[in-house]
Amino acid sequence: MKAAVYKADGRIVLEERQVPVIQDPRDAVIKVTLTTICSSDIHIKHGAVPRAVHDTVLGHEFVGIVEQTGDKVSRFRPGDRVAVNVETFCGECFYCRRGYVNNCTDKDGGWAMGCRIDGGQAEYVRVPFADNGLTLIPDTVTDEQALFVGDILSTGFWAAAMSEIKPADTVAVIGAGPTGLCTMMCARLYGPARIIAADTDEKRLELAVKEGIADVAVNPAMADAEKLVKDYTEGRGADAVLEAAGGNDTFELAWRMARPNAVVGIVAMYEEPQKLPLPDMYGKNLTFKTGGVDASCCSEIMKLIECGRLDTSCLITHRTKLENIMEAYDIFENKMDGVIKYAIQV
């Protein structure tokens, strides 16, 4: 089969690999029908994910059809259409029982697919702990509608929940890329008065406002984003700030935008350490929440898609086939041609 593989010298190549097989009775083998590229794949390419294993098939955001199941898989059977969770998790350890599936203690637990074990930028993929990591796609939901359930929509859903957003709050989201836009969509579920999007890409800001994902847009390279947020909040600052950009100065912008006693949620994956200037922020009494997504609400997200409360169709700006994935990587990594997300047909 064809697969996009991460190599030791920081390259990604499309090559022939063996079709995966069941290795554990809790496994399922999925025939991938639609996959995509994530910014985390670019971080892996740049060497910014130390636990990433060379010669691993990339891809942790995809949908497909169950091809084969192990003897201990009870919730799914061959022929089922499924979305695949970014995380594999045992469901039994200390962390899994508390919903912290990103910290599953199994050797293949947490973010493994497309990082430490072979992922879904391929024709087939083996999914460990299939009963936990698969979500059935309803007949009324298309592959494209379900494509982001297991990763960036889960990230946005988790980020919005941890930020303690209340009705009529002002929410600021830094970063109008795919994860930031999903974060705004999920923040909208909590009924905020306004969502302010901050990004240096004018086209992405235009998309956010045009699609009703954000109410207000600001480019920090062209305007004082902190002042704009305060202008909308009688000088206080945002009630919740979600940082989904991971830029050189976006962490500082996040805490400066926040009002005293706000929650600052760090959604981004940084390639360099960040500074926490405690003397500068002393007295703001901020709560910082950080980390990798706990993607434990995929079924709920799928129901929200099914009933029309979440719609990520506007994020798919480019479509191609697996044999053209190297060209797609170039366009996505370099943010060419107004790309937001690819739908890559397998």
Side-chain angles (χ1 to χ4, degrees), residues 216-280:
V216 181
V218 59
N219 184 337
M222 301 175 64
D224 188 335
E226 182 185 352
K227 181 179 183 302
L228 181 138
V229 170
K230 289 184 175 180
D231 287 346
Y232 274 98
T233 56
E234 299 177 342
R236 293 187 301 273
D239 300 290
V241 180
L242 292 163
E243 207 292 83
N248 292 331
D249 54 3
T250 51
F251 179 79
E252 180 175 356
L253 180 61
W255 68 260
R256 288 192 179 279
M257 276 184 166
R259 65 158 169 79
N261 300 285
V263 172
V264 179
I266 307 302
V267 184
M269 177 184 289
Y270 296 101
E271 292 197 352
E272 297 178 356
Q274 303 297 304
K275 292 182 179 179
L276 189 67
L278 294 174
D280 296 339

Side-chain angles (χ1 to χ4, degrees), residues 50-94:
R51 57 186 173 172
V53 177
H54 301 145
D55 209 37
T56 296
V57 178
L58 293 173
H60 52 268
E61 195 168 29
F62 55 97
V63 299
I65 299 169
V66 177
E67 181 83 1
Q68 185 182 2
T69 59
D71 293 341
K72 291 187 178 179
V73 176
S74 60
R75 296 182 56 228
F76 301 93
R77 58 188 177 184
D80 284 345
R81 293 173 58 234
V82 292
V84 182
N85 197 315
V86 63
E87 290 156 344
T88 53
F89 55 98
C90 70
E92 299 173 357
C93 69
F94 174 91

Side-chain angles (χ1 to χ4, degrees), residues 15-152:
E15 66 180 30
E16 292 290 328
R17 297 287 288 257
Q18 292 295 316
V19 173
V21 297
I22 299 293
Q23 297 180 18
D24 182 281
R26 296 166 294 181
D27 290 349
V29 172
I30 307 301
K31 178 180 173 60
V32 181
T33 55
L34 199 66
T35 188
T36 190
I37 301 168
C38 180
S39 58
S40 299
D41 299 320
I42 306 303
H43 290 306
I44 289 175
K45 180 186 176 185
H46 292 171
V49 183
R51 57 186 173 172
V53 177
H54 301 145
D55 209 37
T56 296
V57 178
L58 293 173
H60 52 268
E61 195 168 29
F62 55 97
V63 299
I65 299 169
V66 177
E67 181 83 1
Q68 185 182 2
T69 59
D71 293 341
K72 291 187 178 179
V73 176
S74 60
R75 296 182 56 228
F76 301 93
R77 58 188 177 184
D80 284 345
R81 293 173 58 234
V82 292
V84 182
N85 197 315
V86 63
E87 290 156 344
T88 53
F89 55 98
C90 70
E92 299 173 357
C93 69
F94 174 91
Y95 296 107
C96 284
R97 290 198 305 270
R98 289 158 176 79
Y100 307 142
V101 299
N102 183 51
N103 302 112
C104 174
T105 56
D106 186 88
K107 65 180 180 62
D108 288 336
W111 176 28
M113 279 191 299
C115 180
R116 294 178 283 121
I117 63 175
D118 288 340
Q121 289 173 12
E123 295 179 62
Y124 294 87
V125 62
R126 178 184 69 91
V127 178
F129 304 115
D131 275 343
N132 300 331
L134 301 179
T135 303
L136 193 68
I137 302 176
D139 292 340
T140 55
V141 175
T142 67
D143 280 4
E144 286 197 359
Q145 288 175 311
L147 180 57
F148 307 129
V149 167
D151 185 18
I152 57 173

